Amino acid sequence: MSGRTTEPIRVLIADDQPLVRRGLALILAPDPGFEVVGEAADGEEAVALAHRLRPDVVVMDIRMPVLDGVGATERLARTLPECRVLALSTFDMDEYVVAALRAGAYGFLPKDISPEELVAAVRVVHTGEAAVAPRLLTRLISAYVLAPRPPQPPAANPGDLTPREQEVWRLMATGLDNAEIARAMDISVSTVKNHITSLFGKLAVRDRAQAVIAAYETGLVEAGSRSG
């Protein structure tokens, strides 16, 4: 886990707007913990540069010409899985963000985040954790599942979960973070983390984002659900 902590995180920035690329680079480059190794103007270029430069993290705009961020993310997840994608979008409520998470992105942030939030998210994604604000993710998925689409069979069998795991999953899907889940269930945060690790394995999902999507798709929670 700590083997790479002294190495700067190598970041590739992909956005079709030069000003946005430059702004993101100016946020990350001065920090000795990061090395901005390249910039791409579309998804096709992002994939090609990622294979050539081998960044740790790609900060990926969702809407780009030639190949959009969703398509580029899917290619990278398939061909360069050690490269983590952090998706960005101008819009909070955007079905393409959910598509990006399903394609393999490790996180999503709106473009109006603060520099500190961007820096923190890149670090989180680099560790293999999901960098998605729980309530923002909940709103995104709520909007997404309201759109008409064919019913989808569950990717895994939720019946394999214990009642406690099922409750942790439900609370996670309604927007609570680990500390809030612990308070709601009157258990410790470490116990919550253990339940989450177990349910991830049983649901065959990689992270919190995919677990929340699965909760909507299996009907555990419905669009617009809120805890409390």
Side-chain angles (χ1 to χ4, degrees):
M1 293 288 290
S2 61
R4 302 185 64 187
T5 53
T6 57
E7 300 274 335
I9 300 171
R10 294 166 55 80
V11 181
L12 173 67
I13 297 169
D15 196 291
D16 61 329
Q17 298 181 45
L19 194 61
V20 173
R21 293 199 304 271
R22 182 57 18 209
L24 293 171
L26 286 172
I27 290 171
L28 296 172
D31 189 319
F34 300 105
E35 179 186 358
V36 177
V37 296
E39 298 180 16
D42 59 64
E44 198 81 59
E45 186 181 11
V47 173
L49 282 177
H51 278 272
R52 181 158 63 84
L53 301 172
R54 300 299 172 115
D56 300 307
V57 176
V58 179
V59 178
M60 181 89 73
D61 185 26
I62 292 297
R63 299 174 185 269
M64 291 188 291
V66 187
L67 179 66
D68 67 15
V70 175
T73 296
E74 192 278 330
R75 285 196 198 174
L76 288 176
R78 189 163 31 86
T79 63
L80 208 64
E82 67 275 15
C83 176
R84 324 279 197 202
V85 173
L86 173 62
L88 297 183
S89 175
T90 307
F91 306 100
D92 282 0
M93 306 296 286
D94 189 340
E95 68 181 38
Y96 293 111
V97 176
V98 175
L101 293 171
R102 293 184 57 139
Y106 274 73
F108 160 73
L109 293 174
K111 283 188 177 177
D112 61 359
I113 55 166
S114 68
E116 293 77 16
E117 287 171 315
L118 175 67
V119 166
V122 172
R123 288 201 169 105
V124 168
V125 164
H126 179 240
T127 69
E129 298 291 327
V132 185
R135 288 172 183 81
L136 178 56
L137 177 62
T138 302
R139 293 204 314 271
L140 275 167
I141 296 171
S142 294
Y144 172 72
V145 298
L146 283 172
R149 63 195 183 100
Q152 299 198 3
N157 179 15
D160 292 339
L161 300 182
T162 67
R164 296 284 255 187
E165 290 166 350
Q166 191 101 357
E167 181 64 5
V168 168
W169 188 27
R170 185 188 69 78
L171 292 172
M172 179 194 306
T174 55
L176 300 191
D177 61 25
N178 289 358
E180 291 168 331
I181 293 171
R183 285 196 294 272
M185 296 182 65
D186 196 23
I187 57 179
S188 69
V189 172
S190 63
T191 300
V192 171
K193 290 178 180 177
N194 289 338
H195 284 317
I196 289 174
T197 299
S198 178
L199 70 89
F200 281 3
K202 291 179 180 180
L203 294 173
V205 298
R206 189 194 61 215
D207 56 32
R208 198 181 198 94
Q210 292 186 350
V212 174
I213 291 170
Y216 280 92
E217 290 185 336
T218 59
L220 178 71
V221 291
E222 297 179 353
S225 295
R226 285 290 184 275
S227 60

